[in-house]
């Protein structure tokens, strides 16, 4: 069975979109998705990269087109998406929580809850009380998660995961790795599916 490593940060709208369509794409080819949380700001710093809003802020019409292209993707896949009014959001707390959730039977529920909070409900996950309320409303382990995100072990694990992604060639999110080959962004999904068809 082939494995797709999904490298993500809840603060990326395109990571949310990929999160919504990647599982079905993988299932069509008998593959599985392994989530890999990172801190996107750390990746940007390590690779001298910038968010599209920063990188293209002076390029006439570029951001307008990107917004149009995003909406096309949303319509094509029949998704629910709303631009978060607090964007950009510091996702340190929920990404530490994602590290804690790794491998647990509620990991997918955690990812759904945080992505939906960001890109469906427009919540500000940088605020601890908002993060706590999302955990509670989603039936996730509130106390254990809040304790875990403050531990040195979880903090370091997120730093290590971010650095490890950079070492493997990752420069942004969402990124997917299939057999150590990098596929970046939602626009790479057709190429990823082609590789799954070819190697499956």
């Amino acid at each position: 069975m082939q494995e797709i490593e999904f490298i993500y940060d809840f603060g990326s709208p395109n990571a949310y979109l990929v999160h919504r369509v990647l599982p079905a794409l993988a299932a069509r080819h008998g593959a599985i998705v392994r989530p890999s949380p990172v801190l996107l700001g750390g990746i940007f710093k390590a690779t001298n990269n910038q968010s599209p809003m920063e990188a293209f802020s002076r390029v006439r019409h570029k951001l307008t087109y990107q917004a149009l292209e995003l909406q096309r993707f949303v319509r094509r896949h029949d998704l629910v998406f709303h631009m978060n009014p607090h964007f950009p959001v510091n996702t340190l707390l929920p990404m530490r929580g994602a590290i804690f959730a790794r491998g647990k039977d509620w990991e997918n529920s955690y990812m759904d809850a945080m992505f939906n909070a960001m890109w469906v409900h427009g919540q500000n996950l940088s605020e601890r009380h908002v993060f706590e309320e999302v955990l509670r409303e989603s039936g996730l382990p509130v106390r254990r998660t809040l304790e875990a995100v403050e531990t040195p072990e979880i903090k370091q694990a997120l730093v290590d995961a971010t650095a490890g992604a950079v070492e493997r060639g990752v420069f942004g999110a969402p990124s997917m790795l299939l057999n150590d080959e990098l596929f970046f962004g939602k626009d790479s999904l057709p190429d990823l599916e082609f590789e799954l068809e070819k190697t499956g």
Side-chain angles (χ1 to χ4, degrees), residues 6-161:
F6 172 48
I7 298 168
Y8 72 95
D9 183 316
F10 296 121
S12 164
N14 287 321
Y16 161 75
L17 298 176
V18 169
H19 169 69
R20 291 296 307 274
V21 304
L22 184 59
L25 185 155
R28 287 197 295 271
H29 303 280
I32 60 171
V33 178
R34 179 167 64 85
S36 185
V38 296
L39 196 62
L40 186 53
I43 287 180
F44 283 166
K45 184 176 181 180
T47 60
N48 293 318
N49 197 2
Q50 295 178 303
S51 71
M53 287 187 68
E54 293 174 304
F56 303 125
S57 62
R58 297 186 179 182
V59 180
R60 190 177 182 188
H61 306 311
K62 176 71 172 182
L63 293 179
T64 300
Y65 177 78
Q66 284 197 317
L68 173 63
E69 185 268 342
L70 186 151
Q71 289 302 324
R72 286 176 181 157
F73 188 94
V74 168
R75 291 195 304 271
R76 177 182 176 186
H77 295 280
D78 194 25
L79 303 177
V80 177
F81 172 86
H82 302 291
M83 193 63 193
N84 192 302
H86 307 287
F87 184 81
V89 175
N90 183 329
T91 56
L92 187 60
L93 271 177
M95 294 319 301
R96 287 178 182 168
I99 291 288
F100 178 60
R102 283 191 301 188
K104 297 180 172 63
D105 58 7
W106 45 269
E107 181 178 17
N108 287 335
S109 296
Y110 179 88
M111 292 177 66
D112 286 340
M114 297 302 153
F115 269 126
N116 287 341
M118 278 288 299
W119 304 110
V120 176
H121 306 300
Q123 293 172 274
N124 187 353
L125 289 177
S126 69
E127 298 183 357
R128 187 179 178 88
H129 73 276
V130 175
F131 177 57
E132 181 176 350
E133 187 60 27
V134 172
L135 290 170
R136 182 172 292 107
E137 290 181 351
S138 304
L140 295 163
V142 179
R143 181 182 59 81
R144 285 194 295 143
T145 303
L146 292 177
E147 289 174 354
V149 298
E150 299 301 336
T151 64
E153 293 80 10
I154 291 295
K155 292 178 181 180
Q156 188 60 48
L158 180 58
V159 171
D160 292 344

Side-chain angles (χ1 to χ4, degrees), residues 185-199:
K186 66 183 185 303
D187 295 340
S188 72
L189 289 174
D191 289 336
L192 174 62
E193 186 155 27
F194 174 78
E195 289 298 319
L196 287 168
E197 292 172 348
K198 185 175 70 173
T199 60

